[in-house]
Amino acid sequence: MVGGAGTGDRQLLIPRRSRWWRRMPCFTEGAALIPTLLVSWSSAAFIISYVIAVLSGHVGPLFPYISDTGAKPPESGIFGFMINVSAFLGAATMYTRYLIVKQQNEITHFISPCFNLLALCVGVVGCIGMGIVASFQELAVPAVHDGGALVAFICGALYIVLQTFISYKSQPQWSTPCMCHTRLFFSVMTTVAVIPMITCASLISITKIDWNPGEKDYVFHFVSAICEWTVAFGFVFFFLTFIRDFKGVTLRISIEVHERF
């Protein structure tokens, strides 16, 4: 207790506490929650569908295709819903990244605005491909499903390559060499894995989800499936690197209401 200045009143000294949002984890600072949700939700989508499909006996535990883990109920409903949400979160992350680069580029011009827009368009097309994969199941409409997967993987790989190039161009002010090299590693790994994934998948002559060693085309399936999982988690880890960039960003929604006469 201390006396008030000139009044004799007494006041309690209450220790000043830091605001609760300043103690929040780094992955919730600023706009970092967007890529955090994308990474965690997408990982959960792959893992949950895989676990249910294996426990239900619909696929073998040794590297099934990701789509195979969502081909039959009940996992098909979970897979479709979660992948559609992942596609939306992916588009939101890409658009936010586009806005961040746009603002940075206005301060220190390091890349053509058209290049930034191109990266966004490629990424959004990849997200549309994800939506097609989720909405058209492999066993029901295989041609549409495979087409969507092809678009998603190719555009996704191209998107992270373009973002890696942007990262290198934006250093040293907006990116660190370590971050650039990390993104380069994941983009190269993903791009290299896409090639045998597509090549081996095109050599498979039958459509099935439950494979056994020794069957015809099993080797092609096995190699392609390993590459598919590599590509999928290559995307996941690449978007994980966006969290640092998104921490210092605040998103605001502006609404104007015009009076009707």
Side-chain angles (χ1 to χ4, degrees):
M1 306 283 286
V2 295
T7 62
D9 295 335
R10 294 186 174 183
Q11 299 176 348
L12 285 173
L13 280 179
I14 302 176
R16 184 182 297 274
R17 296 182 179 179
S18 60
R19 298 184 184 274
W20 62 270
W21 56 79
R22 293 178 182 174
R23 303 196 303 270
M24 294 175 66
C26 64
F27 51 80
T28 59
E29 294 180 11
L33 185 61
I34 301 175
T36 300
L37 284 175
L38 171 62
V39 168
S40 56
W41 185 274
S42 299
S43 300
F46 299 145
I47 295 171
I48 291 174
S49 298
Y50 169 81
V51 170
I52 296 176
V54 171
L55 293 179
S56 300
H58 296 158
V59 297
L62 189 60
F63 289 107
Y65 277 127
I66 295 176
S67 296
D68 291 350
T69 65
K72 293 182 178 180
E75 63 269 16
S76 59
I78 298 173
F79 179 84
F81 169 72
M82 296 192 74
I83 295 300
N84 270 318
V85 174
S86 292
F88 171 77
L89 291 173
T93 300
M94 293 171 182
Y95 182 65
T96 305
R97 170 66 176 172
Y98 164 79
L99 294 178
I100 292 173
V101 173
K102 181 181 178 182
Q103 290 292 323
Q104 293 172 342
N105 203 39
E106 290 177 356
I107 299 174
T108 56
H109 183 76
F110 56 86
I111 198 75
S112 169
C114 294
F115 191 91
N116 187 29
L117 181 60
L118 173 65
L120 172 65
C121 293
V122 170
V124 170
V125 171
C127 292
I128 293 173
M130 284 184 63
I132 293 174
V133 169
S135 302
F136 297 90
Q137 295 177 359
E138 181 182 13
L139 297 180
V141 197
V144 178
H145 178 92
D146 292 343
L150 192 64
V151 170
F153 284 121
I154 292 178
C155 289
L158 181 57
Y159 175 79
I160 65 175
V161 169
L162 295 176
Q163 286 299 327
T164 300
F165 180 78
I166 291 175
S167 298
Y168 273 102
K169 294 290 290 184
S170 67
Q171 64 173 339
Q173 183 166 0
W174 306 111
S175 296
T176 63
C178 179
M179 183 62 68
C180 292
H181 299 338
T182 301
R183 289 175 180 169
L184 177 63
F185 170 78
F186 287 121
S187 62
V188 170
M189 179 188 73
T190 302
T191 304
V192 169
V194 163
I195 298 173
M197 180 194 75
I198 297 175
T199 303
C200 291
S202 65
L203 296 175
I204 299 175
S205 58
I206 55 177
T207 301
K208 58 180 299 185
I209 64 174
D210 188 13
W211 290 84
N212 295 306
E215 291 182 331
K216 180 184 178 182
D217 297 336
Y218 175 78
V219 174
F220 295 140
H221 160 78
F222 186 72
V223 173
S224 181
I226 290 177
C227 292
E228 185 184 50
W229 283 95
T230 302
V231 171
F233 278 95
F235 292 152
V236 168
F237 285 114
F238 186 90
F239 284 112
L240 189 65
T241 67
F242 278 179
I243 292 178
R244 177 184 176 275
D245 296 340
F246 282 46
K247 284 196 304 181
V249 175
T250 301
L251 297 179
R252 293 187 178 92
I253 299 176
S254 178
I255 300 176
E256 295 183 5
V257 178
H258 300 281
E259 184 178 357
R260 297 181 63 183
F261 295 97

